[in-house]
Amino acid sequence: MTNSQRPPMPPPPPPGVPPAPPPSNAATGQAAAGKTQRPPSQTLQQPGAVATPSARPASAAGQVASNAAPPPPSAAKPRVPARSPSLSPGQPTLQHMIHHAYEKGFSDVHLGVGEVPRFRNRGEMELTDYPDTDQATFMSWLREILTDEEIRRFQDTLEFDGATQYDFARVRINIFDTLRGPGMVLRLIPLTILTLEQLRMPSVMKDVCHTHKGLILVTGPTGSGKSTTLAAMVDYMNKEMPKHIITIEDPIEFVHQSRKALIRQREVGIHTLKFDNALKASLREDPDVILIGEMRDKETVNTALKAAQTGHLVMGTLHTNSAVKTLERIFTLYPAEEQPAMRSAIAESLVSIIAQGLCRTTDGKRAAFHDILINTEAIKDYIQKGRNDEITPLMEEGEFDGMITMNKSLFNLYQEGRITEETALEMSPTQNEMAMMLRGRI
């Protein structure tokens, strides 16, 4: 077809749709060229390009825009609309629900698109009367607690950890994507740090706080009160000892105000880019005590041991259920040829392992029970020789040194009338032995 036979130029295409090939007519070609010079960022910002965090750009407009020129970083993936979505009719604000949970003494708020909000009531999930959560409401809740940059970070990684604070409580935030849509769990953290006495913790916990160097591990499953126990121990040192305490957390949960001690708290992602970097740098910051949020890998354990061996008191957590399992968990991080050296390092550096669980009491509250190992000379010898299976009997006989087993701790709660026989059996790590204790045979 010759140029003279070409049909008239069609109207300009919608934004993001590929323009027709320019005709040879100079004036018409200039007009068409003016239409195709829209920056890619403007093309991506058209309404059709908006998607949920888990969606992918599938339209032709999105593909052409991404191929035409590299988009700016903020437009690399589909985004939530810049305007703040509004709550659907009948939906509460996020602050209202968090305050309701706080007033009732609940520990967690569970939210998700397509789900009825639920609360964690002293270890058990409890349905609410709120309506199902829709997408607009969920995004409105995110806008209450996150910045636009944090929402973009969630959309990029489909995970988010953080914290926010109200005048009545601090809240730890975890957001994630699921089959039905995004979900969120909010952990309520009291602004007032309970003391070791208020938590009814064993007195040996104060004793280990007075140690000048070494490694103290507080362990237990998720939701077992590890953070609360560590916060109480740091608070005790803060009131009693003129020390420099550095915490490295992800995220910061309990907020401490310096008293007799100087406390500096650092959050990964805000005050430091990488956990390992902050831990290594802390050795050059003249600390007396270093609190590590979690001993998550071999490198962290190595650095923590180095700090403990060079005159610092290091406190950290692990997700293990007993003192002996904590030792085994650490050793499994290392190959067989490195384990003898690690056994010697742990035996020399360890101060105490405090494994903790929570159980519901007869008055509807919760109480902590413990498995406490104190690194006496006998325990040290057993660790070096790898005789882990023989450590528990030593703990049963080491009450004078402050040691206790979980079964003994649960039995004490039962004798005090704080838990039922059924609860003691349910929470016991060795139920046969607990049954014999309850029947008076041990």
Side-chain angles (χ1 to χ4, degrees), residues 350-371:
L350 186 66
V351 175
S352 175
I353 299 175
I354 302 166
Q356 179 170 303
L358 290 177
C359 61
R360 185 180 284 262
T361 57
T362 52
D363 60 359
K365 299 180 180 179
R366 290 197 292 176
F369 56 95
H370 300 94
D371 201 50

Side-chain angles (χ1 to χ4, degrees), residues 31-245:
K35 291 292 184 182
T36 59
Q37 291 174 353
R38 185 189 305 274
S41 61
Q42 293 183 15
T43 303
L44 282 178
Q45 289 172 358
Q46 297 303 315
V50 175
T52 59
S54 59
R56 296 290 181 269
S59 66
Q63 292 172 353
V64 170
S66 62
N67 292 334
S74 62
K77 288 190 177 183
R79 300 297 180 203
V80 202
R83 62 183 179 84
S84 176
S86 58
L87 290 168
S88 299
Q91 293 282 8
T93 64
L94 187 62
Q95 180 173 348
H96 172 84
M97 277 197 296
I98 292 172
H99 190 267
H100 177 67
Y102 169 78
E103 290 289 330
K104 293 289 187 179
F106 300 150
S107 60
D108 299 85
V109 179
H110 289 252
L111 307 170
V113 172
E115 301 282 356
V116 175
R118 298 171 188 250
F119 294 143
R120 176 75 69 176
N121 180 10
R122 293 172 177 84
E124 297 182 359
M125 295 293 283
E126 185 173 294
L127 273 170
T128 68
D129 296 328
Y130 297 114
D132 286 5
T133 302
D134 56 27
Q135 181 78 18
T137 297
F138 189 88
M139 298 313 300
S140 178
W141 289 341
L142 292 190
R143 294 287 181 187
E144 285 190 46
I145 54 176
L146 301 184
T147 64
D148 288 346
E149 176 56 37
E150 288 171 331
I151 293 178
R152 284 194 292 268
R153 195 192 315 164
F154 164 63
Q155 293 175 321
D156 287 338
T157 64
L158 302 180
E159 310 280 355
F160 179 84
D161 279 306
T164 189
Q165 187 161 322
Y166 298 92
D167 57 2
F168 54 88
R170 187 168 174 82
V171 179
R172 189 179 72 194
I173 305 165
N174 180 265
I175 310 171
F176 49 94
D177 205 11
T178 74
L179 182 65
R180 303 188 66 169
M184 174 165 47
V185 178
L186 307 170
R187 167 67 56 86
L188 275 65
I189 302 166
L191 296 181
T192 302
I193 300 173
L194 297 178
T195 65
L196 292 170
E197 291 85 0
Q198 289 171 324
L199 294 171
R200 303 177 75 164
M201 294 296 179
S203 59
V204 70
M205 290 191 182
K206 287 186 178 180
D207 298 336
V208 299
C209 288
H210 285 276
T211 310
H212 294 292
K213 64 178 181 178
L215 183 63
I216 299 173
L217 298 176
V218 178
T219 74
T222 301
S224 60
K226 299 186 297 295
S227 298
T228 302
T229 298
L230 270 177
M233 295 173 75
V234 170
D235 184 64
Y236 173 74
M237 290 188 281
N238 188 21
K239 294 174 180 175
E240 301 291 332
M241 307 172 198
K243 294 189 174 184
H244 181 201
I245 303 172

Side-chain angles (χ1 to χ4, degrees), residues 293-304:
E294 184 180 347
M295 309 271 283
R296 49 185 80 185
D297 51 38
K298 177 180 174 180
E299 289 71 25
T300 303
V301 173
N302 286 340
T303 309

Side-chain angles (χ1 to χ4, degrees), residues 231-417:
M233 295 173 75
V234 170
D235 184 64
Y236 173 74
M237 290 188 281
N238 188 21
K239 294 174 180 175
E240 301 291 332
M241 307 172 198
K243 294 189 174 184
H244 181 201
I245 303 172
I246 296 175
T247 76
I248 306 167
E249 304 171 73
D250 184 18
I252 291 173
E253 297 185 335
F254 291 89
V255 177
H256 299 268
Q257 298 295 330
S258 297
R259 297 185 182 180
K260 197 166 187 177
L262 171 62
I263 299 185
R264 290 190 168 117
Q265 295 181 262
R266 306 187 70 192
E267 180 168 324
V268 178
I270 296 179
H271 310 120
T272 179
L273 297 180
K274 293 180 65 178
F275 187 91
D276 291 339
N277 291 351
L279 181 54
K280 291 173 183 175
S282 68
L283 299 179
R284 300 187 292 273
E285 293 161 5
D286 188 33
D288 297 295
V289 181
I290 304 171
L291 185 147
I292 304 168
E294 184 180 347
M295 309 271 283
R296 49 185 80 185
D297 51 38
K298 177 180 174 180
E299 289 71 25
T300 303
V301 173
N302 286 340
T303 309
L305 283 173
K306 178 182 176 182
Q309 291 170 337
T310 53
H312 307 90
L313 181 63
V314 180
M315 307 174 76
T317 67
L318 277 170
H319 292 284
T320 49
N321 297 328
S322 71
V324 172
K325 287 181 180 177
T326 300
L327 291 171
E328 294 171 351
R329 169 77 177 116
I330 292 174
F331 295 139
T332 56
L333 295 174
Y334 296 86
E337 62 271 15
E338 295 181 24
Q339 289 198 11
M342 284 310 303
R343 290 187 179 280
S344 296
I346 292 291
E348 292 300 323
S349 303
L350 186 66
V351 175
S352 175
I353 299 175
I354 302 166
Q356 179 170 303
L358 290 177
C359 61
R360 185 180 284 262
T361 57
T362 52
D363 60 359
K365 299 180 180 179
R366 290 197 292 176
F369 56 95
H370 300 94
D371 201 50
I372 300 178
L373 179 149
I374 304 297
N375 193 21
T376 61
E377 290 300 319
I379 295 289
K380 184 182 298 185
D381 183 58
Y382 277 35
I383 292 174
Q384 287 179 326
K385 294 178 179 178
R387 297 164 62 181
N388 296 339
D389 294 340
E390 301 175 49
I391 290 177
T392 299
L394 284 182
M395 292 172 61
E396 293 172 349
E397 300 168 2
E399 187 173 345
F400 176 80
D401 297 304
M403 288 190 270
I404 194 170
T405 63
M406 280 194 173
N407 271 355
K408 179 62 175 174
S409 182
L410 286 165
F411 185 69
N412 290 344
L413 290 174
Y414 168 73
Q415 286 190 314
E416 294 169 8

